[in-house]
Amino acid sequence: MTAIEPVKSSAPPSRLSRVFQSDLWWSFKQHPSAIAAAILLAVLIGTAFFAPWITVQNPYDLASLDLLNAEIPPVWMEGGQWPFLLGTDVQGRDLLSAILYGSRASIVIGAASVAVSLIVGSVVGLVAGYYGKWADGLLMRAGDVLLSMPTMLIAILVSALARQMLPPYLREVGASGVIVFAISLSAWVQYARTVRAQTMVERNKEYVQAARLIRVSKWRIMLKHILPNTTTPLLVTATLNFGLGILIEATLSFLGVGMPPEQPSLGTLIRIGNQYLFSGLWWIVLFPGLQLCLLVVSINVLGDWLRDALNPKLR
Amino acid sequence: MLAFLIKRIGNAVLVMLTVAFLAFLIFRFLGDPVEMMVNESATQVERDELRARLGLNDGFLVQYARFVTNAAQGEFGLSWRNQQSVIGLIAERFPATFELVLIATFLSLAIGIPLGVFTAIGRGRWWAEGLQFSSIVGVSLPSFLVGILLILIFSVTLGWLPGYGRGDVVRVGWWSTGLLTPSGRAAVVLPALSLSLFQITLVMRLVRAEMLETLRTDFIKFARARGVRRRALWFRHALKNCLMPVVTLTAMQVGNLIAFALVTETVFQWPGMGMLFMQAVTFVDIPVMAAYLCIVSFIFVTLNTLVDIAYAVIDPRLRNA
């Protein structure tokens, strides 16, 4: 990649113009696949969040379902009906509405798992890198053990067991929390390792010593001085893990240890559709699957671009 | 070297002890084993007797030590669901999973390596860039969705291959194989393909990156100057230098494949260990879950350790790491 340093104006730039003049924005404009992915992702997230206002029915309000509308194929096929654009399932639920509501659950859980593992990982990495010694040994060894097992296996196991331990009245409400916990449990290690390595480099630099000299507290040094210097690699990891989180959630729900049918995510919809795979109702499983693909592909294309754009070696 | 060996093996043992500890906690404290094993009408005296016989009144560490000793000998007790020995259940299902993973690994190399070479030598052409981009799609597709799509296309629509089950199996000693019957061979195609797709893209991207680097080196230029034919240059001279990381990746990924086989087996109703585990999850059959966790982690940790040791044998610089 050949990057040309953009011309910088002499006046102090405003926040917005700083974004538009950055190397990153320049690289973004050079990559049509990144632009397409960003637009697609914005549309997917937008439609998911405004689902209650743009869908023809609330798919989880049983009163709005009509069994007479069951098993209608998509509109462009013979027997298709308005307003059921992508057809309906066996309970007469509009598939497009179900998909948009389901995407909302998937996106929220994916984002929450990134947020939790990012925060936990950063704090652990800062503490391990700044204090060193036994704190470092203990925290990082715990991370090694977690990484010595496949992430998916840990998530399935934790999710399955946690559901058994929750009292029955909490199972539905707590389902999304359990999934976020199950995903974050091994996801934080990656962030922690990155932050730790960077912290060990930064802690001996002069600005940290200067801050120490004027008695800035340890936590303030870690959070306000060191952490901002570790954010670039974290951004890439967070983007790719957002896609991964959505995938793991979908897999858990597909296996039946994720979101319950009462508040389905895309994975739950695919699980339900999978039961009708051999009875010719292909649209019930295909469209939620397609939505899941679009979502994850657009995130991964963005993540891939971001990794290359932020990698100083490739400049 | 000896110090490295001790350190690396000690690390693996530590991980296994931790996993065994977690399995033990699950086994001991999630649900009461006594309640699960006695029938409804058992008296309190009978229950207490059973509790004493199972050693559930002993100290915590004693029980843990006993669990580890038993687990090391493959003794995981009886399944709560059907009172069969857990290790027997797993041994019965192991061949199915092993064959699936073996064929998936073979496919990932047989398809991934040529694709990697082609995308490297065709760099900049539309078809190579298209393949490279589609590999991002391959990484993003969840494995269960790949399975469903394969069933939808090749089983439901075209009717070429079976979409569930393992076909007819032949028993060879205690091992049951589906590879010797036509229906067994037909049944393994779709699950193996669906399991290996992610792997194929990984191998392809790795080979491409390595090839691009190797093609730039001097010995390739000399070979070209000597008039070596292009095909021989790519596949004999350049590719050989790219295979080491591929071998490592493959060995490391076998553990992941076994874990992911869990998903594939559920989609294709493949009677392997993964399906056994998912059934155990549904019926809260804790001994089976604990045993599966221990065995899969053992395979995973052993492979990783062997790869690390093999690397240290080949490259002495890594021994101090």
Side-chain angles (χ1 to χ4, degrees), chain A residues 148-180:
Chain A
S148 68
M149 305 256 297
T151 312
M152 185 67 85
L153 189 64
I154 294 182
I156 292 172
L157 201 78
V158 168
S159 194
L161 291 175
R163 282 156 65 87
Q164 296 303 330
M165 289 192 281
L166 283 181
Y169 61 90
L170 267 181
R171 270 183 206 161
E172 260 179 50
V173 192
S176 42
V178 165
I179 299 171
V180 171

Side-chain angles (χ1 to χ4, degrees), chain B residues 65-185:
Chain B
R66 193 185 302 132
F67 180 85
V68 171
T69 325
N70 286 341
Q73 294 164 356
E75 183 54 57
F76 289 97
L78 297 178
S79 156
W80 288 352
R81 190 170 151 227
N82 49 19
Q83 300 295 316
Q84 282 175 298
S85 111
V86 170
I87 196 70
L89 281 174
I90 289 184
E92 197 181 298
R93 301 295 194 96
F94 180 75
T97 300
F98 182 81
E99 282 179 359
L100 182 62
V101 169
L102 192 72
I103 292 180
T105 306
F106 171 75
L107 283 180
S108 68
L109 296 176
I111 302 175
I113 293 178
L115 281 183
V117 174
F118 285 128
T119 46
I121 58 187
R123 191 187 183 194
R125 310 258 180 84
W126 63 269
W127 49 269
E129 295 304 313
L131 262 176
Q132 175 69 5
F133 182 78
S134 65
S135 76
I136 297 187
V137 180
V139 173
S140 311
L141 277 173
S143 118
F144 66 94
L145 198 60
V146 175
I148 291 175
L149 291 179
L150 286 176
I151 294 179
L152 206 55
I153 297 171
F154 292 104
S155 193
V156 178
T157 312
L158 296 172
W160 289 353
L161 292 161
Y164 56 87
R166 205 184 163 200
D168 297 324
V169 292
V170 178
R171 293 199 79 87
V172 183
W174 65 276
W175 190 274
S176 69
T177 177
L179 300 179
L180 296 177
T181 63
S183 72
R185 279 195 293 267

